[in-house]
Amino acid sequence: MSSGTATDLEGQLTAILTAGSGQPSIEDAFAALGGWERLARDAAALADSPVLPPLVHLVTTEAADSDRRTDSYAEAMRGVSSAVTSTTSPAILIDSLETLITSGPALNEVGDLLAAALEATVQDFLGSAEPDNRFALRAAGALEARARLALCEIGSPFALLALLERFDAPLPKPLGTAVVRAVGVAVDRWPFATGLITVVRRLAGIDPPPLASRVRADADPEDVASDASWVLAGIELVSALRAANLPAMQSKLESSAKYLRLAQDTYEREDASVLLAVVDILCALLGDSVPRPRVEALSTPRLEPQALADLAERVRRINVTSMGLNHWYGEPKRAALLAWSRLADDLGSLREEFKRDSFYKAEVVVDNLLQIYLGSRSTAVVSHAEDMDGLLRLVQPVIESGFARTAGLLSNLEDHTLALEQEAVSATGDREHEVTEKLAVARAVLRAARSQALAGAEPGKADSGTAPAPLPQPLRQLVPPGSAAAIGLTVLPPEALAELAEAISNATIGKHSLNLIEDGVYASIQNQLESSPDYAGEPKEAVNDILRLIIQFASSRLNGQSDLFPYLFDPKSVEKHIHQDLLSFLRSSHLGAITEFEVQHVGGGRIDLRLKFSGFGIYIEMKTDSTKKPLSDKQAYLKQAVTYQVSDIRIGFLISLRHKAFDLTGAPPHLSALVGHTVFDVPGDPIARHVVTVGLPGSRTKPSEMR
């Protein structure tokens, strides 16, 4: 070490780490090292010390408590950051960076400095005449961390893209892989980054490097070719999902299929094989749809029963950890595999339903493909907007206004219209009149949406010369404001349009795969339910199905704006508002036919919602609450919820609209803090009851009005 005091610091920390079971707490250890003042003086000198990673862990843990910070805090954090980015050891760098970039307080204080230092590390490699393998591995770790910071909105994304653009020839494997993967996430996140496809092609040896570029002797394009083929396929696929119309989508899908075929045939990627089968099917459907919107049947061999059975088997066989890149920005999960299985089932149903346009059949596949892509390429990053430890934020690929965004909405609108048509046949009295009016509105919007999607009308203005009021979301996405189709719908009752919009939105949410954050909550609750003897067989599948929908409901309401869910922002909202909202959501799902409202004579009372399965029921109790007590401590609510389980499955749900439990003027809590589980013991009953709790924030403030 260059400093005696720094050497002492290293020795003290080493002693603490080897103290065994008697080692002090984090607070005591930090104080023993001399606190923020000592680190401000000596931390920067620990660059190549093996104790740097545990020191970073200690520092970020201490930094999470803002009350214990001193005037030396900022300088100490800069010293720690400097030590991390100055180390010549790839292992120390990578381990220390992982801790730093998952700490909200650390990013708050040194995020921008960290981003600049990491860029400099990568640029040093680019400027080095003969960098060794350690230098390449260090640059790879720095580039990966820089990309993750960009996702956290730290450092300019344009600076990252400019850095990536400098790689114009094959690289040593660790850095080449990092560049290829960073390009993949850049294109997912920033649509204007698609030009970086040239970087990937050059690193993989597909395109020759420019004459002036440096060709490194230790670089073999084959080292990154497998990842490159997948990333190139992904770039074309995300471009297809962003396409404005079907012909443009088909062109990009065909390009994606070319790279997927390379990944499958040359590099034997099972994930590419499965995705290729789906893309080939979609290309066939789109090819059939464009020249002839109506067909009697689809004859593509890819939709033959045996071909679909083979696809389903490969989906079941595929190792979920090999999907995509198995990397920090695209961590696969069980939900993705379930989504692939569901997509295979959807494809099989296409052969049985030829009465609708094949155009709409393609939409089913497009929507499933979009949701799988969004879920499997999602990234969890640490938000640095709040001075707290590890506030997660989900970053998903940006799919703006392309056809893929409207595909599922169109399909769901058609399904909803068909359901109204079927109900109108048997409805009587007041209900017949109500259904007939809803059906007329749904048919009018469906006609407008079809004409917009198939013909592509340009935005316009009403006769008065001013644009009419836009349709509510998500109908606005199907029929853009100002278009001729939208103008034609202005004669319809606003209340009916709002109700239709909510139904389509609910159906869309209910069909989507869980994203990265939602899936984490889902898995956590499942683990806690395992101790219930009723969590087995058909009841387990039913509980999982409802749990998935409830998590999606909570997630969508946390993200929903006040124009679509005004009751969440109204301090005067009461139980019936959230009750009606959840009822509408569940009835728009595949469980709609078994969702019952205010069922009498259950446990001696009346249950808010029951989902009646074959041989058993699952109950949902709903409340509005104006206290700050956790739901797990609300004994009266829990007693009521478990009472309804008295002769049925001993697992239920308690959902509450909470007006005062959270900061009304700030950001709502993270989804994982709102969905919980509690076990309730009933005296005289040897088997405990289980309740899944959801506290939905009420009386919220619009983000634009927060002060």
Side-chain angles (χ1 to χ4, degrees), residues 244-247 286 288-294 357-360 363 403 406 410 446-457 478 485:
N245 53 58
L246 289 173
L286 294 180
D288 197 21
S289 298
V290 174
R292 296 182 292 128
R294 290 195 78 86
D357 296 344
S358 67
F359 172 78
Y360 294 103
E363 287 178 359
F403 176 76
T406 65
L410 265 168
L446 180 58
R447 284 193 300 270
R450 282 177 173 173
S451 67
Q452 183 69 25
L454 288 170
L478 288 169

Side-chain angles (χ1 to χ4, degrees), residues 537-553:
E538 291 185 14
K540 178 177 181 177
E541 295 302 316
V543 169
N544 285 344
D545 220 4
I546 297 171
L547 176 61
R548 182 180 64 83
L549 287 171
I550 293 298
I551 289 172
Q552 289 174 313
F553 172 79

Side-chain angles (χ1 to χ4, degrees), residues 320-321 323 330-340 371-378 394 396 513-520:
V320 108
T321 61
M323 291 184 68
E331 181 184 6
K333 52 192 181 301
R334 288 180 309 224
L337 185 59
L338 292 173
W340 283 116
Q371 298 314 317
I372 294 169
Y373 191 90
L374 289 175
S376 63
R377 301 289 285 238
S378 297
L394 186 71
Q396 288 189 302
S513 305
L514 297 178
N515 65 38
L516 189 65
I517 302 300
E518 294 163 352
D519 186 59

